[in-house]
Amino acid sequence: MASVDLTVMGAGAWGLAVAVACARRGAHVRVIDPAGPAAGASGGIVGALAPHVPEQWNDKKAFQLEALLMAEAYWADIARLSGSDPGYARTGRLHPLADAAAVARAEERARGAADLWLGRAEWRVIAAHEGGCGGDWAPASPSGMLVHDTLTARLHPRRATLALAGALETLGGEIACEGLPEGPVVWATGVAGLEEISALAGKTAGTGVKGQAALLRPRGFDAADMPQLFIDGLHAVPHADGTVGIGSTSERDYDDGTATDAQLDELIARAHGICPALVEAEVVARWAGVRPRARSRAPMLGSHPFRDNAFIANGGFKIGFGLSPLVGEVMADLVLEGRDRIPEGFRPEASL
Ligand SMILES: Cc1cc2nc3c(=O)[nH]c(=O)nc-3n(C[C@H](O)[C@H](O)[C@H](O)COP(=O)(O)OP(=O)(O)OC[C@H]3O[C@@H](n4cnc5c(N)ncnc54)[C@H](O)[C@@H]3O)c2cc1C
């Protein structure tokens, strides 16, 4: 007889979110990962939980909104169960607007958010001088205007993943470096999993996209409660300990997924220029990892197309942490209760 109800392969944010959701429903879960928790993309340092723009609504945006709205209660419960802090806070985000056309588009989106975000968060257009603490945190804005959204939150990815591992153990789950899968198996193996599915399918079902990131510590300025900044694709995410996560490069071609190089130096130099508080900020960490990107660019969730009694949770790409609370729930629905509420475009077949 099997000693566990379910096995999850992969101790990243998604494998552990699925494991925790199943353990909360009473299942005895074993997670197997030869490298241990947070060894892959989930060991990072950026942690922007940011929404898609509130327009042209679709399943992916609706799923993401539901996940972001769950996040506060979810991470508070993970903190309680694990006794460690995932670093979650809903601190919002500022985003400079380039010109009058961008301001008009942002105002249109503000009207969209009022409808689509169900009154739970705002997307506001504000004057740049309203956006930063004494100007030190205010990003330069060519139009003099910024978007301030109150939906965006932050967490510390590596700490959040380790907190998920702690929560699972509190719920009676096991995390092992090796072992044979028993019961239904959820494959949440990140980029290695996409390579494996591609090999089984005989075509590319997904690839890795490398990202490099850094942690900066501003000199003489405590950014901990400041909103995130999002400027020309660069994220600056203040963490609870006063460091600021800076991300990220996006590299399809790479030799070493964990090495940092001159592309990160360039990103850090840009970050130093985005607001007065970051000028000469000390670089306290450099990090690189590989994001799992499904061919459809959507998450890849559902029954495994090539294995019996098996499932896939993969394709978190750039928003894996933002989606993780809801990914855990919909996978637990499917695996434990046979209840399928996965959006059509998220199925593995969408990438095959
Ligand atoms: C630079 C960078 C910045 C990012 N910034 C953000 C952000 O700001 N916000 C956000 O939401 N997301 C962000 N992401 C994306 C996010 O990190 C990923 O979407 C998420 O971590 C994916 O989690 P995962 O569990 O699917 O994969 P991983 O964390 O990669 O986990 C997969 C695990 O599977 C294990 N494994 C592999 N093969 C096997 C096997 N055969 N058996 C068992 N285990 C196996 C690996 O050891 C690994 O631990 C960023 C990613 C990067 C790289």
Side-chain angles (χ1 to χ4, degrees):
M1 206 177 86
S3 60
V4 294
D5 299 316
L6 163 83
T7 305
V8 176
M9 305 302 280
W14 279 25
L16 290 166
V18 174
V20 165
C22 293
R24 272 198 180 116
R25 298 180 195 198
H28 184 192
V29 187
R30 180 179 297 140
V31 176
I32 300 175
D33 191 325
S42 305
I45 51 181
V46 183
L49 310 184
H52 283 100
V53 288
E55 64 186 9
Q56 296 173 1
W57 211 235
N58 57 31
D59 281 352
K60 188 171 168 182
K61 292 186 181 186
F63 190 93
Q64 188 198 32
L65 176 67
E66 188 178 344
L68 292 176
L69 292 175
M70 286 169 68
E72 185 158 16
Y74 179 85
W75 291 109
D77 200 45
I78 295 300
R80 181 186 63 79
L81 287 166
S82 64
S84 52
D85 183 5
Y88 177 90
R90 193 164 139 187
T91 42
R93 182 171 78 160
L94 300 173
H95 164 193
L97 295 166
D99 51 28
V103 173
R105 206 161 45 242
E107 281 168 346
E108 181 62 31
R109 288 171 176 170
R111 288 187 282 279
D115 178 31
L116 296 165
W117 288 359
L118 314 170
R120 305 275 304 274
E122 279 184 303
W123 172 288
R124 302 188 300 144
V125 179
I126 61 171
H129 63 80
E130 294 176 58
C133 169
D136 283 346
W137 193 250
S141 171
S143 68
M145 304 299 282
L146 305 170
V147 171
H148 176 221
D149 88 69
T150 62
L151 181 53
T152 296
R154 61 125 194 265
L155 53 59
H156 189 293
R158 188 179 309 151
R159 291 183 197 149
T161 306
L162 295 175
L164 283 168
L168 178 66
E169 285 172 342
T170 302
L171 292 166
E174 303 166 20
I175 301 175
C177 290
E178 54 184 23
L180 287 178
E182 292 179 76
V185 182
V186 179
W187 291 85
T189 46
V191 71
L194 292 179
E195 284 164 8
E196 191 200 21
I197 298 159
S198 299
L200 290 168
K203 58 179 165 185
T204 303
T207 50
V209 178
K210 179 178 170 180
Q212 301 185 43
L215 265 189
L216 306 187
R217 186 178 292 283
R219 295 178 203 269
F221 182 86
D222 184 2
D225 298 324
M226 293 291 107
Q228 285 168 47
L229 305 179
F230 180 57
I231 302 171
D232 294 334
L234 186 152
H235 294 269
V237 182
H239 290 299
D241 63 2
T243 59
V244 179
I246 299 295
S248 311
T249 66
S250 207
E251 304 163 48
R252 287 186 181 221
D253 299 316
Y254 55 89
D255 295 322
D256 180 347
T258 59
T260 63
D261 58 30
Q263 296 182 73
L264 183 57
D265 299 338
E266 202 180 302
L267 198 75
I268 292 169
R270 273 181 62 207
H272 278 151
I274 62 174
C275 69
L278 290 178
V279 174
E280 294 183 5
E282 182 192 359
V283 179
V284 291
R286 297 165 64 96
W287 180 83
V290 182
R291 309 169 180 99
R293 176 188 180 276
R295 195 165 68 95
S296 68
R297 299 175 69 100
M300 185 187 270
L301 305 175
S303 296
H304 200 299
F306 303 109
R307 296 183 200 274
D308 291 336
N309 203 19
F311 302 84
I312 297 179
N314 208 322
F317 194 30
K318 295 187 175 178
I319 57 171
F321 280 92
L323 300 183
S324 57
L326 188 52
V327 166
E329 292 305 316
V330 299
M331 290 304 294
D333 286 346
L334 182 67
V335 176
L336 298 182
E337 297 168 25
R339 196 152 61 90
D340 187 343
R341 57 177 179 121
I342 295 168
E344 209 47 51
F346 287 13
R347 297 182 190 289
E349 290 71 17
S351 290
L352 293 173

